[in-house]
Amino acid sequence: MNTKEKTDKYVFNTYGRIQKVFVKGQGATLWDEEGNTYTDFLAGIAVCSLGHSHPEVAKTVAEQAATLTHVSNLYYTAPQADLAEKLVTSSFADRAFFANSGAEANEAAIKLARRYFNKKGQPDRVKIISMSRSFHGRTMATLSATGQDKIKDGFAPLVDGFIHIPFNDIDALKANMDHTVCAVMMEPIQGEGGVVPADPEYIKAVRALCDREGILLIFDEVQTGMGRCGRLFAHEIYGVTPDIMTLAKALANGLPMGAMLATQEAATGFALGSHATTFGGTPLVAAAALTVFSIISQPAFLQDVVEKGQYFKKQLSSLQATHPHIKAVRGEGLLVGMEIDGEAGKIVEECLKKGFIINAIQGNILRFAPPLIISHEEIDALVAVLDSLLA
Ligand SMILES: *Cc1c(COP(=O)(O)O)cnc(C)c1O
């Protein structure tokens, strides 16, 4: 049996896989088992932000693996301490909790918000308001938080206490606010939901309303964080900070890692023994994340993401003049979506044949999340292919 046959026979068939077997990656280029090359405009869904097989990350991982991989959070380890310091001192937050995925980081955020009010003597404040078309993960609590029905199909009873409201609609938020709500949870820019940015006035009004009600604001930056949107964290674009933020995808450039960051005040919701995980912040992934952070957090690196993102959006928008199928081009930095009035999956297939990996979401939206090291030439080459395909 070959790789495809084995996978289809032995692995749960929960993924709609594209018919390619990849064997190697370097920068923004991937190789399949037949030796064909592809330019990767998805980066493992906004994960491999420094590109595949980044030499410094590879070196860090190899050295750390040969030094100390894991000892449990019963003990102190330097990479975790150093990473927490970096994340905290470069953000609104005072404390970090390390997990292994985006869903787990969001689980930690949900638990923290509930326990914060429980310990403050407000045990009725348990509800979390989240947004329609949001995506927060696939564990029971995070799929309950997620605002997309297809992800919940067959899993009832869901975790209680989640209210979904339309995104970018402050009146809907006001209408659902009462003394039983402990937090609002949202992505500053919805990723899986279609690359939909929050309106600047909306996100400011959400912050103000949370302050007025004395409840917590959670930003899920699992997809938008770590430089993806041209700032270290996407909420910096809006000048609004949350009380709790979650990160994951790009944290360790492909090694599994999540983080939940919180202000000192919100962090009081957890005490000794409140939450734990075996693998979270293990020296191996934390060391990789430190190397990633040292590169991505450089102002010149982030400025380059902003510049290339603007260039990419400008080139895509310029296609609109000749291709009426394109309905909108949006996003921040190098998280870009293009809405078309046709089937996005068809374009994804055709792009693959021409050697470009892109992604379709919500049926009619093309998502681009290339490695942040993508070049102008690679952007031009993809735009030329899209130009020919959309004709
Ligand atoms: C991918 C994603 C998650 C889930 O992360 P996993 O690592 O797959 O659990 C949660 N929230 C957002 C915004 C995401 O994009």
Side-chain angles (χ1 to χ4, degrees), residues 209-368:
L209 192 57
C210 288
D211 288 340
R212 203 187 73 196
E213 298 290 322
I215 63 164
L216 301 170
L217 177 56
I218 304 168
F219 283 164
D220 178 344
E221 293 232 27
V222 167
Q223 187 159 155
T224 55
M226 304 315 295
R228 171 56 51 190
C229 297
R231 302 290 194 99
L232 198 47
F233 309 115
H235 66 259
E236 295 171 27
I237 297 167
Y238 295 98
V240 167
T241 58
D243 303 289
I244 302 172
M245 170 172 72
T246 55
L247 300 170
K249 287 190 162 81
L251 261 177
N253 209 54
L255 272 66
M257 178 171 231
M260 187 269 293
L261 307 185
T263 61
Q264 189 63 47
E265 176 60 25
T268 61
F270 278 174
L272 202 60
S274 299
H275 196 48
T277 169
T278 298
F279 293 113
T282 207
L284 184 70
V285 289
L290 270 170
T291 297
V292 171
F293 186 93
S294 72
I295 298 168
I296 285 182
S297 63
Q298 286 168 24
F301 184 93
L302 292 169
Q303 192 46 45
D304 188 49
V305 175
V306 172
E307 190 277 316
K308 285 186 297 197
Q310 280 165 353
Y311 178 76
F312 188 20
K313 276 197 288 181
K314 187 171 99 271
Q315 299 307 97
L316 290 175
S317 299
S318 73
L319 296 180
Q320 268 184 296
T322 44
H323 301 297
H325 287 310
I326 303 174
K327 292 300 161 200
V329 174
R330 56 180 181 248
E332 292 287 346
L334 285 166
L335 181 59
V336 176
M338 187 163 91
E339 193 169 328
I340 59 175
D341 69 357
E343 224 183 286
K346 287 251 160 61
I347 306 285
V348 170
E349 274 172 40
E350 293 303 316
C351 274
L352 193 69
K353 287 184 196 154
K354 306 247 184 226
F356 290 87
I357 293 167
I358 63 170
N359 173 240
I361 42 177
Q362 303 292 331
N364 66 328
I365 297 163
L366 298 172
R367 173 172 51 180
F368 311 99

Side-chain angles (χ1 to χ4, degrees), residues 166-211:
F167 189 43
N168 280 328
D169 180 346
I170 195 68
D171 292 333
L173 183 58
K174 284 181 185 154
N176 283 280
M177 195 62 79
D178 65 29
H179 70 282
T180 64
V181 174
C182 68
V184 174
M185 182 170 188
M186 61 180 279
E187 300 152 84
I189 300 166
Q190 290 191 336
E192 307 303 307
V195 189
V196 185
D199 294 334
E201 318 80 64
Y202 174 73
I203 204 166
K204 288 190 180 80
V206 172
R207 176 72 270 182
L209 192 57
C210 288
D211 288 340

Side-chain angles (χ1 to χ4, degrees), residues 57-70 79 255 283-285 287-288:
V57 179
K59 184 165 172 277
T60 300
V61 171
E63 284 175 3
Q64 189 63 49
T67 307
L68 184 70
T69 297
H70 176 88
L255 272 66
L284 184 70
V285 289

